[in-house]
Amino acid sequence: MTKDDCIKKPSGAAGGWGALKSVGRQLMGTGSPVSRAKTLLSLNQADGFDCPGCAWGDPEHGSSFEFCENGVKAVAWEATKARVTPEFFAEHSVTELQGWTDYDLEHAGRLTTPIRYNPETDHYEEVSWQEAFDGIAKALNALEDPNQAEFYTSGRASNEAAFLYQLFVRLYGTNNFPDCSNMCHEASGVALTQAIGIGKGTVLLDDFEKCDLIYCVGQNPGTNHPRMLASLREAVERGAKVCVFNTLKEKGLTKFADPQKKLEMLTGGAEPTSTDYYRPRLGGDMAVFRGMSKVVLEAEDRAKAEGRPPILDHDFIREHTSGFEGWCDMVRATSWEIIEEQSGLSREEITRAAEMYLNAERVITTWAMGVTQHLHSVQTIREIASFMFLKGNIGREGAGLCPVRGHSNVQGDRTVGINEKAPAAFLDALEKDLGVSLPREPGHNVTHAIGAMLEGTVKAFVALGGNFARAVPDSSLVADAFRNLDLTVNIATKLNHGHLMPGKASYVLPCLGRTEIDRNSKGERQMITVEDSMSMVHGSSGINLPASKSLKSEIGIIAGMAKATLGSDVVNWDEMAEDYDKIRDMIARVLPSFGDFNTQVRKPRGFWLRNSASHREWKTTTGLANFGTDDLRDRTEWQEVKGENGKFVLQTFRSHDQYNTTIYGMDDRYRGVYGIRNVVFINPKDMEKNGLSDGDLVDLIGCFDDGRHRACKGFRVVPYDTPYGCLAGYYPEMNELVPHQTVGDQSYTPTSKSVIVKIEPHQSA
């Protein structure tokens, strides 16, 4: 494929006809476009199923079409008529399948029967459910210590499945819960818990309709949570400011053509989603907010000197916060020279961004993984919170903090107990309800699990969804560790590379998808629940027939493994799997914030889990909202490589045709890339300085000094509007460049947005 074939002019705006064409292609690709189109009418509706994609909130009064392009992709991906049967595995060996792309594996179709790896033939073979459960139980019970097993959770698991999973694992005897939040928003949870006493955002979707200013930091809604574009556009239309800080210029953060507006589609129109756009350097967001805080404090000083009313909310600061004076001293002592150097923005630009805050009464700050996947992410989010405290922009209407989660239930999974360091109160309540003791020693997060596998101290890995082996840093190194395990178990809807790294005993267990009808043995339909980024809990019931009569729900699979491994003396697993209301009853007993869970979740649009910080109740060590205590770093990664020829700071991110490691298609029309994924986005001035031309092939070499050679070879150069010295490229292809040892301070999140690499001319093998 030539450069002209794969690199073209990007689309002019997010959404529009491009989105409608993409929707059409996705529906046609399912093999049953008419029925799948009808399926979409139940997406995010009160009597339908929750989108298996992102965790953006639903409006209180939903329209007939509460979905986006990526929601359609997620539904179409799951609802395909293609099937992966035992005959497929008889035809294709595991070694052969390892050579397939992520895209090709997932587009082979839905898994239909439980399978077990046969090392003698190098093929997966069909087994009965009971054979699978018994084999898994035998391997788990043969371990010398329960802590030799890791139990991973994907954010697509429901509240009920996640709760039952953690119940099984804790009764088995370990708190090893590496989960997808460890790789994305862990820094948000850590920082917000320190700052406001709860690791969640404080806003509802309605607040976006009432704010005067939105700061949108380190996120790309057009690809990752497109329904947010409507909220940003509506804010601009009613006169609010939307100020973006994002390293790359992204289409979704400039203009959005709403496919649901007929006149707009006929005229080819599009409306802005932002009013101001700034592109800080990678790792520079903390310096941006430190600079804006400096501007606000200077304005307060001038107001006081001139006898004008104060700018700060002194009542809020005095009554509700701790550490204000010490933080102020730190801010005042920070020089503009270091702020400009680290942020990549001028003092004038930062001042303009801060003046919006001075003139706004109600402010929301939102962020995503562009903020959370750095060494100093926790400190950055603390700085964002401190900035918001200055005018009391938390705990009131139209204002607050909003980390935008990725997977549809990554927040809910943590709420119901997927936590390697669960709160003592949660464990106390579980023990009281069960009448037994549970392990209290903290378990493994993703980083610890990787380390344990590489050391050989872990012998088993059970995955409730996801594609762990491809999602993590140092992916080829981790793949080798997987093959040395005694047991691997994957609960999944489709085949992925994580299933092709079999240990001594390996099982793939096919489960129902979110869109499919889940019935118990009496034929009664079951409902599951999820929690979105705004702490709203929704019910979800599938409407499509299952892809295979052999499929079980995630809950049924977990119950089957638990019963075979532990017996039913403490928990009647069959009873839980037969009636999900019983799981919800137990959740409500253990977590009183759910109230009368079974009644509340049957209300249209669900219910809100009370957020203490939204009510200005601070469950922190001081009993107050805490200002930050950290100064800017001595040197960011950008500063470390500044001036070194060929060295850059790299961030990994999604293309428009993917969701996490799931590749829906090979196009990224918002960035003008078609049919390929091995590309690297680079500032045109960096290209010129390094003697590169548009479309050149280069090799990217990791610069982490641990004796391991990390390289991504044969990547095509794409000029892009990104700061000097900063690169970008797609994961999971570039995860090989991310060292597993470099993790966020306190969060242990991979630093996938600040990887030091060098570019070399491509050396063909």
Side-chain angles (χ1 to χ4, degrees), residues 416-564:
V416 300
I418 301 297
N419 190 341
E420 79 278 3
K421 295 184 291 187
F426 175 77
L427 296 177
D428 290 344
L430 270 181
E431 288 184 341
K432 181 180 179 181
D433 199 81
L434 296 168
V436 298
S437 297
L438 298 172
R440 295 290 179 131
E441 181 183 356
H444 291 163
N445 57 28
V446 163
T447 297
H448 295 140
I450 292 172
M453 283 192 287
L454 295 176
E455 293 169 0
T457 56
V458 161
K459 303 296 183 183
F461 190 93
V462 181
L464 178 58
N467 190 358
F468 181 90
R470 289 287 280 163
V472 297
D474 272 330
S475 46
S476 63
L477 188 66
V478 173
D480 291 337
F482 261 90
R483 296 183 182 100
N484 292 323
L485 296 174
D486 290 344
L487 173 71
T488 61
V489 180
N490 286 278
I491 301 169
T493 57
K494 285 191 174 184
L495 194 63
N496 64 50
H497 273 288
H499 309 154
L500 305 177
M501 304 165 187
K504 295 175 184 176
S506 294
Y507 298 84
V508 179
L509 308 179
C511 65
L512 293 169
R514 185 78 60 81
T515 65
E516 292 171 323
I517 299 170
D518 180 1
R519 297 187 187 276
N520 62 16
S521 64
K522 299 176 183 177
E524 300 165 334
R525 290 183 64 176
Q526 303 264 35
M527 175 184 67
I528 54 91
T529 64
V530 299
E531 178 187 352
D532 65 28
S533 287
M534 281 76 176
S535 299
M536 292 294 297
V537 178
H538 312 267
S540 179
S541 298
I543 65 167
N544 291 333
L545 292 175
S548 165
K549 292 181 180 179
S550 297
L551 300 185
K552 286 183 177 289
S553 68
E554 289 180 327
I555 293 166
I557 295 171
I558 295 164
M561 290 193 300
K563 180 181 177 181

Side-chain angles (χ1 to χ4, degrees), residues 529-731:
T529 64
V530 299
E531 178 187 352
D532 65 28
S533 287
M534 281 76 176
S535 299
M536 292 294 297
V537 178
H538 312 267
S540 179
S541 298
I543 65 167
N544 291 333
L545 292 175
S548 165
K549 292 181 180 179
S550 297
L551 300 185
K552 286 183 177 289
S553 68
E554 289 180 327
I555 293 166
I557 295 171
I558 295 164
M561 290 193 300
K563 180 181 177 181
T565 305
L566 305 174
S568 299
D569 291 342
V570 177
V571 174
N572 187 328
W573 303 103
D574 288 339
E575 186 178 72
M576 292 284 199
E578 180 69 9
D579 184 358
Y580 300 170
D581 279 2
K582 295 187 183 301
I583 303 175
R584 286 186 282 272
D585 284 339
M586 187 174 181
I587 291 174
R589 293 196 301 270
V590 173
L591 295 166
S593 60
F594 280 84
D596 186 352
F597 193 177
N598 277 308
T599 298
Q600 294 215 91
V601 80
R602 286 176 167 84
K603 297 176 181 177
R605 301 286 163 184
F607 66 99
W608 183 61
L609 283 177
R610 190 178 187 276
N611 185 300
S612 53
S614 296
H615 294 273
R616 295 189 170 180
E617 299 168 6
W618 318 107
K619 297 183 179 181
T620 64
T621 54
T622 63
L624 297 167
N626 295 314
F627 276 86
T629 59
D630 294 288
D631 210 339
L632 299 183
R633 294 174 62 192
D634 292 336
R635 289 166 65 84
T636 65
E637 287 80 7
W638 185 90
Q639 289 175 297
E640 288 182 30
V641 303
K642 180 183 65 171
E644 293 193 44
N645 281 342
K647 281 193 174 183
F648 301 87
V649 183
L650 167 75
Q651 65 169 321
T652 67
F653 57 14
R654 300 170 179 164
S655 78
H656 188 61
D657 258 359
Q658 77 177 95
Y659 197 82
N660 292 346
T661 57
T662 299
I663 312 300
Y664 298 132
M666 299 298 288
D667 296 342
D668 190 353
R669 69 175 188 277
Y670 290 170
R671 300 186 183 110
V673 177
Y674 294 84
I676 62 171
R677 291 183 54 81
N678 287 4
V679 297
V680 56
F681 298 93
I682 181 171
N683 185 300
K685 291 183 179 179
D686 280 323
M687 290 173 56
E688 182 180 353
K689 179 181 177 182
N690 289 272
L692 299 173
S693 298
D694 185 357
D696 281 355
L697 293 180
V698 297
D699 297 339
L700 290 93
I701 311 298
C703 295
F704 187 73
D705 187 14
D706 64 347
R708 177 173 174 79
H709 181 68
R710 296 175 173 86
C712 287
K713 296 188 175 183
F715 278 60
R716 195 176 295 275
V717 170
V718 178
Y720 207 80
D721 189 357
T722 186
Y724 184 75
C726 299
L727 305 178
Y730 303 133
Y731 70 79

Side-chain angles (χ1 to χ4, degrees), residues 164-434:
L164 203 66
Y165 193 53
Q166 65 82 34
L167 193 61
F168 161 41
V169 174
R170 289 196 161 97
L171 286 169
Y172 173 67
T174 184
N175 286 313
N176 285 351
F177 286 111
D179 79 292
C180 63
S181 65
N182 298 150
M183 292 186 275
C184 53
H185 264 289
E186 195 68 53
S188 297
V190 172
L192 293 178
T193 298
Q194 294 173 359
I196 62 174
I198 186 169
K200 302 182 182 184
T202 64
V203 302
L204 291 168
L205 194 58
D206 287 352
D207 289 314
F208 282 83
E209 300 173 4
K210 301 167 184 174
C211 63
D212 305 312
L213 168 63
I214 300 168
Y215 286 114
C216 188
V217 191
Q219 61 188 127
N220 179 21
T223 290
N224 301 326
H225 27 269
R227 284 192 295 155
M228 184 181 181
L229 296 180
S231 296
L232 297 178
R233 172 176 154 152
E234 288 165 5
V236 174
E237 286 176 342
R238 63 178 172 78
K241 296 288 188 180
V242 176
C243 180
V244 173
F245 297 107
N246 198 65
T247 306
L248 286 86
K249 200 70 174 286
E250 300 282 18
K251 293 296 179 184
L253 290 168
T254 53
K255 284 189 174 183
F256 174 51
D258 190 341
Q260 297 182 33
K261 294 184 182 295
K262 297 177 183 178
L263 181 61
E264 192 162 288
M265 295 301 294
L266 289 172
T267 60
E271 295 299 326
T273 51
S274 63
T275 57
D276 300 83
Y277 205 121
Y278 300 100
R279 294 179 300 105
R281 292 180 177 129
L282 286 170
D285 293 312
M286 184 175 179
V288 170
F289 277 85
R290 175 61 55 91
M292 289 201 295
S293 296
K294 198 172 178 71
V295 172
V296 173
L297 293 180
E298 290 169 353
E300 174 73 7
D301 292 342
R302 288 194 300 273
K304 184 177 181 180
E306 296 168 6
R308 292 185 284 109
I311 292 169
L312 305 187
D313 187 338
H314 289 284
D315 290 341
F316 176 85
I317 293 170
R318 181 178 57 256
E319 297 172 15
H320 291 283
T321 72
S322 172
F324 173 64
E325 294 298 337
W327 177 80
C328 284
D329 291 342
M330 197 163 47
V331 171
R332 296 180 194 279
T334 306
S335 71
W336 275 109
E337 180 182 8
I338 189 66
I339 289 171
E340 289 181 310
E341 169 85 353
Q342 291 195 0
S343 70
L345 303 181
S346 68
R347 179 173 179 174
E348 290 73 22
E349 288 175 312
I350 293 173
T351 298
R352 286 199 300 271
E355 286 173 346
M356 299 179 207
Y357 188 77
L358 296 175
N359 296 320
E361 182 181 348
R362 297 176 298 277
V363 182
I364 293 173
T365 298
T366 81
W367 66 91
M369 289 163 64
V371 169
T372 64
Q373 289 188 322
H374 295 277
L375 179 67
H376 58 298
S377 293
V378 169
Q379 294 88 337
T380 298
I381 297 165
R382 291 291 304 273
E383 193 72 15
I384 290 172
S386 299
F387 175 73
M388 293 287 280
F389 294 160
L390 290 175
K391 294 184 67 180
N393 276 300
I394 186 169
R396 58 190 178 89
E397 193 174 63
L401 300 163
C402 181
V404 183
R405 311 286 178 168
H407 259 146
S408 63
N409 199 42
V410 64
Q411 183 161 298
D413 288 353
R414 179 57 58 88
T415 299
V416 300
I418 301 297
N419 190 341
E420 79 278 3
K421 295 184 291 187
F426 175 77
L427 296 177
D428 290 344
L430 270 181
E431 288 184 341
K432 181 180 179 181
D433 199 81
L434 296 168

